[in-house]
Amino acid sequence: MTRTTTAAMPALQVAHWFNTPRPLTLEALRGHVVVLHAFQMLCPGCVSHGLPQAQRLHQMFAPEQVAVLGLHTVFEHHAVMGSQQALQAFIHEYRLTFPISIDQPDGHDGVPLTMQALRLRGTPSLVVLDQQGQVRLHHFGAIDDLRLGALIGQLVGEARPPVTEQEAAAGCDDQGCALPSAVASA
Amino acid sequence: MTRTTTAAMPALQVAHWFNTPRPLTLEALRGHVVVLHAFQMLCPGCVSHGLPQAQRLHQMFAPEQVAVLGLHTVFEHHAVMGSQQALQAFIHEYRLTFPISIDQPDGHDGVPLTMQALRLRGTPSLVVLDQQGQVRLHHFGAIDDLRLGALIGQLVGEARPPVTEQEAAAGCDDQGCALPSAVASA
Amino acid sequence: MTRTTTAAMPALQVAHWFNTPRPLTLEALRGHVVVLHAFQMLCPGCVSHGLPQAQRLHQMFAPEQVAVLGLHTVFEHHAVMGSQQALQAFIHEYRLTFPISIDQPDGHDGVPLTMQALRLRGTPSLVVLDQQGQVRLHHFGAIDDLRLGALIGQLVGEARPPVTEQEAAAGCDDQGCALPSAVASA
Amino acid sequence: MTRTTTAAMPALQVAHWFNTPRPLTLEALRGHVVVLHAFQMLCPGCVSHGLPQAQRLHQMFAPEQVAVLGLHTVFEHHAVMGSQQALQAFIHEYRLTFPISIDQPDGHDGVPLTMQALRLRGTPSLVVLDQQGQVRLHHFGAIDDLRLGALIGQLVGEARPPVTEQEAAAGCDDQGCALPSAVASA
């Protein structure tokens, strides 16, 4: 079946959020299956395949089960794609309605911080987390609907784990979350 | 999410099988997720969408998890599509490799017997059974890959039930199976 | 641009016509661009690409400019595809509305006669004739819409030739046409 | 067949050219069929349909027969799409190889000048000129390959007109051309 993995997930480092009234954190999404789609607005494979797939996922699944997040990981053409205004126009024209964040720039027109932490190979990339926040898929390039649907369906069907003391103690603020020690040391 | 249902499944009534060394029964597939695709070889929606989707499913999932079955439910143009030879040529030309059966004719060029028992509305139709043999999807028309993948992924992830005494005692022969009483009365 | 050729065209040898009140002949279509699509009903490339393309051509061009003809060239699975009834059901289910003919069988379940005379390599094949009845494209396999459209547009734009004495003298009956000597000896 | 028209064509007013060693003028392209594709880089229909179609046209036809030109007509999101650098990155990422121009801004973030002169209704738009520089198609929205191919094939097949004295005398510079009087008064 779908190639899966189990690994800890670093916190998102985000410069700005669109399509959400307040910043989102992975910590706060524990208990949901999370589909993180990393893209660039000038990446043809993202525009033709990855973003429409993410939008369909967002519309298909109940929000209490699956959270679809976009991550604009600008690692080239910074002057063109790097502004908040540029992404806002893109989101408007492509009618994207799921929460989308701008990956925090590294300050030197290099690879942004979340993309570095996730060791993404490029765009489009998909990272899928189970309800416990563990990475179950880490994929570069296009992935077909049947395979992705099967993985998400499986993860939605898994029993929701009880909240541990460590998770309950994890601290989050608007910019991200401090990972609980159990996950950070995994 | 995907519209699902839970209902008992009648036994298949089959005139002939292709792509399998011996006849299959739903009883013997207990413990697998079963995807039954009902089609006709002169049905454009089956040829363009349903059968390629079934073939992809067959190639994607491990056979010990998901069994994909075709059911040729000839309810029109019997003289053209009704022969075993016609379906054999079709299967060969379309490179279909999953097990495919001919629904048992009613003897009067009407709706064949399994199609009647399943109350299918036409072709293409999909019936998806969980590992306990219960109907979880009963769908007429095209269904997209993401939705179907999600359902199958969820059903694959469900805990496999222990074999009951009733199931162990269920009798099958080459033409089909006598349903165990627990299912038959559901 | 499109690979083209100029060669004489043999007459069609046809066992039966559908979607036309009376048999058609290439001779009678002189002055039209003729697009002949050779197919088999169990040929996946014909069903998914060639026949929908032929149907779109038929709907797009004025009948006094372009004549789209289908030719069912059964060279395998004769018992399944060879009957008039089988093709009639297929035409009905796929909603094909352009004139379609059955290529005359050779009497021994081999390659039918028009297919032999045209030296077609298989199905789908396209043969495009200009307004003078000369072969301008002889193509095996799929051909894209842009390329085919460009050729047809070019041929439609060519000046219509005056009818020669030889053409005026050519004899046709319901089963086909005797080629005028100028063409037959080309 | 394809909806066509015959009208005079205003000169292009262009701020910058890509993919060409020197600025192009419609005057200098007299004798070619010209396909002008007006687009915006944040227009989904341009990205998914119009630009790939223009690229295919550019690759299919001989350059001495058909000239495919892009025109970036920014009439919204000027701050995002309006820079030369943004379009350069877009052209690079989408691997576009035909000559592309930036429509001359009106100076007030409104509709740029060529778009105004051509009375385009939006993007994507196609304007097709025959070998004499007359407008033969003026189309807003997607147009299918078969229809567009047929028109271009027809125009390519038309006899190339002799160069008139008026054309020979027409003056062009880097920013465009003064239309010869015969065309300007048509």
Side-chain angles (χ1 to χ4, degrees):
Chain A
M1 229 185 99
T2 310
R3 179 174 61 83
T4 58
T5 175
T6 304
M9 174 76 180
L12 301 178
Q13 302 178 69
V14 166
H16 189 80
W17 280 98
F18 297 93
N19 292 338
T20 171
R22 58 169 178 274
L24 299 175
T25 66
L26 297 179
E27 194 68 17
L29 291 169
R30 203 61 58 84
H32 298 71
V33 175
V34 176
V35 180
L36 182 71
H37 174 59
F39 71 101
Q40 293 182 107
M41 45 182 283
L42 288 185
C43 156
C46 304
V47 168
S48 68
H49 181 84
L51 286 165
Q53 186 182 56
Q55 181 67 26
R56 286 199 307 277
L57 280 173
H58 175 66
Q59 290 169 320
M60 176 175 301
F61 287 95
E64 63 271 18
Q65 292 186 317
V66 178
V68 178
L69 307 180
L71 181 69
H72 196 223
T73 55
V74 177
F75 63 90
E76 55 185 352
H77 307 301
H78 293 81
V80 174
M81 297 192 287
S83 76
Q84 184 175 323
Q85 189 180 15
L87 184 56
Q88 187 159 30
F90 178 85
I91 289 170
H92 173 75
E93 293 299 330
Y94 278 84
R95 312 285 187 265
L96 303 175
T97 58
F98 54 93
I100 291 177
S101 55
I102 298 178
D103 195 357
Q104 185 71 51
D106 74 336
H108 306 284
D109 280 1
V111 176
L113 302 188
T114 309
M115 189 176 185
Q116 282 186 35
L118 281 171
R119 299 182 185 180
L120 300 182
R121 294 170 52 202
T123 57
S125 282
L126 263 186
V127 180
V128 178
L129 310 183
D130 63 19
Q131 298 178 53
Q132 307 197 46
Q134 296 291 299
V135 176
R136 298 289 284 272
L137 179 78
H138 192 290
H139 186 87
F140 171 52
I143 185 169
D144 72 69
D145 279 6
L146 207 47
R147 193 174 296 273
L148 181 58
L151 174 63
I152 294 174
Q154 179 190 333
L155 298 184
V156 166
E158 289 181 353
R160 185 170 174 160
V163 175
T164 64
E165 283 184 35
Q166 281 168 319
E167 286 174 347
C172 294
D173 60 21
D174 283 356
Q175 294 309 307
C177 290
L179 285 171
S181 55
V183 173
S185 63
Chain B
M1 228 185 102
T2 311
R3 181 173 60 82
T4 58
T5 177
T6 303
M9 175 75 181
L12 301 178
Q13 301 178 68
V14 165
H16 190 79
W17 279 98
F18 298 93
N19 292 338
T20 171
R22 58 169 178 276
L24 299 175
T25 66
L26 297 178
E27 193 68 17
L29 291 168
R30 203 61 59 82
H32 298 71
V33 175
V34 176
V35 180
L36 181 72
H37 175 59
F39 71 102
Q40 294 182 105
M41 46 182 284
L42 287 185
C43 156
C46 304
V47 169
S48 67
H49 181 85
L51 287 164
Q53 185 181 57
Q55 181 66 26
R56 287 199 307 276
L57 281 172
H58 175 66
Q59 290 168 320
M60 177 175 301
F61 287 95
E64 62 271 19
Q65 291 185 318
V66 178
V68 178
L69 307 179
L71 180 69
H72 196 222
T73 55
V74 178
F75 62 91
E76 53 185 353
H77 306 301
H78 292 82
V80 174
M81 298 193 285
S83 77
Q84 183 175 324
Q85 189 180 15
L87 184 56
Q88 187 158 31
F90 178 84
I91 289 170
H92 173 75
E93 293 300 330
Y94 278 84
R95 311 287 187 265
L96 304 175
T97 59
F98 55 93
I100 291 176
S101 55
I102 298 178
D103 195 357
Q104 186 70 51
D106 73 336
H108 305 285
D109 280 0
V111 176
L113 302 188
T114 309
M115 189 176 186
Q116 282 187 35
L118 282 170
R119 298 182 184 179
L120 300 182
R121 294 168 52 203
T123 56
S125 282
L126 265 185
V127 179
V128 179
L129 310 183
D130 64 20
Q131 298 179 53
Q132 305 196 49
Q134 296 291 298
V135 176
R136 297 288 283 272
L137 179 77
H138 192 288
H139 186 87
F140 171 52
I143 186 169
D144 71 70
D145 278 6
L146 207 48
R147 195 174 293 275
L148 182 58
L151 173 64
I152 295 174
Q154 178 190 334
L155 299 183
V156 166
E158 290 181 352
R160 184 167 174 163
V163 176
T164 64
E165 282 186 35
Q166 281 169 320
E167 286 175 348
C172 294
D173 61 20
D174 281 359
Q175 294 309 307
C177 291
L179 285 170
S181 55
V183 174
S185 63
Chain C
M1 226 184 103
T2 309
R3 180 173 62 82
T4 59
T5 177
T6 304
M9 175 74 182
L12 301 178
Q13 301 178 68
V14 165
H16 189 81
W17 281 97
F18 297 93
N19 292 338
T20 172
R22 58 170 178 273
L24 300 175
T25 67
L26 298 178
E27 194 66 19
L29 290 170
R30 203 61 60 84
H32 298 70
V33 175
V34 175
V35 180
L36 181 71
H37 174 59
F39 72 100
Q40 293 181 108
M41 44 182 285
L42 288 185
C43 156
C46 304
V47 169
S48 67
H49 181 85
L51 287 165
Q53 186 181 57
Q55 180 67 24
R56 285 198 307 276
L57 281 172
H58 175 66
Q59 290 169 320
M60 177 175 300
F61 287 95
E64 63 271 19
Q65 292 186 317
V66 178
V68 178
L69 307 180
L71 180 69
H72 196 223
T73 55
V74 178
F75 63 90
E76 55 186 352
H77 307 301
H78 292 81
V80 174
M81 298 192 286
S83 76
Q84 183 176 324
Q85 188 181 16
L87 183 56
Q88 186 158 31
F90 178 84
I91 289 170
H92 173 76
E93 293 299 329
Y94 278 84
R95 312 286 188 263
L96 304 175
T97 58
F98 54 93
I100 291 176
S101 56
I102 299 177
D103 194 356
Q104 185 72 51
D106 74 337
H108 306 285
D109 280 0
V111 176
L113 301 188
T114 309
M115 189 176 186
Q116 282 187 35
L118 281 170
R119 298 183 188 179
L120 300 182
R121 294 168 52 202
T123 56
S125 282
L126 265 184
V127 179
V128 178
L129 310 183
D130 63 19
Q131 297 178 54
Q132 306 195 50
Q134 295 292 298
V135 175
R136 297 288 284 273
L137 178 78
H138 192 289
H139 186 87
F140 171 52
I143 186 169
D144 72 69
D145 279 5
L146 207 48
R147 193 174 296 274
L148 182 58
L151 174 63
I152 294 174
Q154 178 190 333
L155 299 184
V156 166
E158 290 180 352
R160 184 168 173 161
V163 175
T164 65
E165 283 184 36
Q166 281 170 320
E167 286 175 347
C172 294
D173 60 20
D174 283 357
Q175 295 308 308
C177 291
L179 284 172
S181 54
V183 174
S185 63
Chain D
M1 224 185 104
T2 310
R3 180 174 61 83
T4 59
T5 175
T6 302
M9 175 74 182
L12 301 178
Q13 301 178 68
V14 165
H16 189 81
W17 279 98
F18 298 92
N19 293 337
T20 172
R22 58 170 177 275
L24 300 175
T25 65
L26 297 179
E27 194 67 18
L29 291 169
R30 204 60 58 85
H32 297 71
V33 175
V34 176
V35 180
L36 180 72
H37 175 60
F39 71 101
Q40 293 182 106
M41 46 182 283
L42 288 185
C43 155
C46 304
V47 168
S48 67
H49 180 85
L51 287 164
Q53 186 182 57
Q55 181 66 27
R56 287 197 307 275
L57 281 173
H58 175 65
Q59 291 169 321
M60 177 175 300
F61 287 95
E64 63 271 18
Q65 292 186 317
V66 177
V68 178
L69 307 180
L71 180 70
H72 196 222
T73 54
V74 177
F75 62 89
E76 55 185 349
H77 307 300
H78 292 82
V80 174
M81 297 192 286
S83 76
Q84 183 175 323
Q85 188 180 16
L87 184 57
Q88 187 158 31
F90 178 83
I91 290 170
H92 173 75
E93 293 299 331
Y94 278 84
R95 312 287 187 263
L96 303 175
T97 58
F98 54 93
I100 291 176
S101 56
I102 299 178
D103 195 357
Q104 186 72 50
D106 73 337
H108 306 286
D109 281 0
V111 176
L113 301 188
T114 310
M115 189 175 186
Q116 281 186 37
L118 281 169
R119 298 183 186 178
L120 300 182
R121 293 169 54 201
T123 57
S125 281
L126 264 185
V127 179
V128 179
L129 311 183
D130 62 21
Q131 298 178 53
Q132 306 196 50
Q134 295 292 299
V135 176
R136 298 288 284 273
L137 178 77
H138 193 289
H139 187 87
F140 170 52
I143 185 169
D144 73 68
D145 279 5
L146 208 47
R147 193 174 296 272
L148 181 58
L151 174 63
I152 295 173
Q154 178 189 334
L155 298 184
V156 166
E158 290 180 353
R160 184 167 174 162
V163 175
T164 65
E165 283 184 35
Q166 280 169 318
E167 286 174 348
C172 294
D173 60 20
D174 283 357
Q175 294 308 308
C177 290
L179 284 172
S181 54
V183 173
S185 63

